[in-house]
Amino acid sequence: MKKVILITLAAVLVLTGCGKKKSLTEQLTENFLGELSKAADELAKIEDLTISGEGSKWPKNEANFLPEPKGTINYVAALPMAFSANISDMSHADAKNYFQSLKGMTEYPAQLILKEKSIMYTGYIKDSYVLYTWNSSGNGSINRIVKKFDPASSDYSYVVYGGEEAFWPAEQMGEIPQPKGLVITDVSVPTGSEKGISMMFTGGSLEDIQSYYDKLTAMGFQDIVPPNKGTNDFTFDVRGKGKSITFSWSASFITSMEVR
């Protein structure tokens, strides 16, 4: 029964994408929930599981370092080694403040995504992996698993930044200029031996992309394959300065850029 409850709590978190290639964000979230499900096998054997229902007070002892969120606590399941809480009626401002509180405590981040309609945090704090999510319906979930940090874990080979946290990774990009006319919405930056950087953008025009392509070729970048330019789309693959760039822009879809 205890195992069923904890797996149900984990299932509340929304996993997107079936039958398609998972994004890094989706994979990291799925990995975390996998850890929570495996932990449930052990938790089912333990007798001191605390489960509280709607309207419960925040269990400060069981929550440990996790700050109390603003909103309605729908339920809490707590053990010394794991913690899961579901919150509703949480405003974007309060959800953002909670995100910032976790970010300030972070030792090793994995996902820092702060958007108007969704917030996601995954990271390692003190002795625990922490996953926090919020959506525009005002619903949030806070999860913690006590586990020794593994620096070799694939979950921490990249850090994903989204929304207000997204930025142009100038240090890693070197001489590669930032494209004008585009707004960065997401970026994944390697933390170790991994070399690839991927970014997502919105906005821009065909003229902006043509200008960016021209600027790269003027810098010495050369086509890997001929560019594909249409009325409302432009893709190109170039190589130079010790890096290769794959760029795909469409007036109807999100723009992507991968640098290796």
Side-chain angles (χ1 to χ4, degrees), residues 185-230:
T185 60
D186 299 272
V187 55
S188 64
V189 181
T191 60
S193 59
E194 299 288 344
K195 297 181 179 180
I197 295 175
S198 61
M199 284 171 280
M200 306 292 280
F201 305 82
T202 58
S205 65
L206 187 62
E207 291 73 21
D208 290 328
I209 310 309
Q210 180 67 63
S211 176
Y212 188 57
Y213 172 78
D214 293 342
K215 186 171 186 177
L216 290 173
T217 55
M219 292 173 61
F221 283 84
Q222 297 181 339
D223 291 327
I224 299 174
V225 294
N228 184 359
K229 181 179 179 181

Side-chain angles (χ1 to χ4, degrees), residues 233-249:
D233 57 83
F234 194 161
T235 61
F236 61 83
D237 289 88
V238 294
R239 181 185 293 120
K241 309 290 182 181
K243 297 181 183 295
S244 61
I245 301 172
T246 299
F247 198 100
S248 177
W249 175 85

Side-chain angles (χ1 to χ4, degrees), residues 161-175:
Y161 302 89
E164 294 180 31
E165 295 290 319
F167 63 97
W168 177 258
E171 182 179 348
Q172 292 85 352
M173 299 300 280
E175 296 181 58

Side-chain angles (χ1 to χ4, degrees), residues 2 40 42 44 56 153 164 171 176 197 210:
K2 295 172 185 175
E42 296 302 317
S56 301
S153 170
E164 294 180 31
E171 182 179 348
I176 298 174
I197 295 175
Q210 180 67 63

Side-chain angles (χ1 to χ4, degrees), residues 29-71:
T29 306
E30 190 171 86
N31 290 351
F32 187 97
L33 295 185
E35 290 291 337
L36 189 60
S37 182
K38 286 188 291 184
D41 288 325
E42 296 302 317
L43 299 179
K45 304 173 186 176
I46 301 175
E47 297 301 323
D48 59 346
L49 173 62
T50 300
I51 300 176
S52 303
E54 186 173 355
S56 301
K57 293 183 178 180
W58 187 250
K60 294 182 179 179
N61 291 337
E62 292 85 350
N64 200 291
F65 59 81
L66 293 173
E68 181 176 354
K70 291 186 178 180

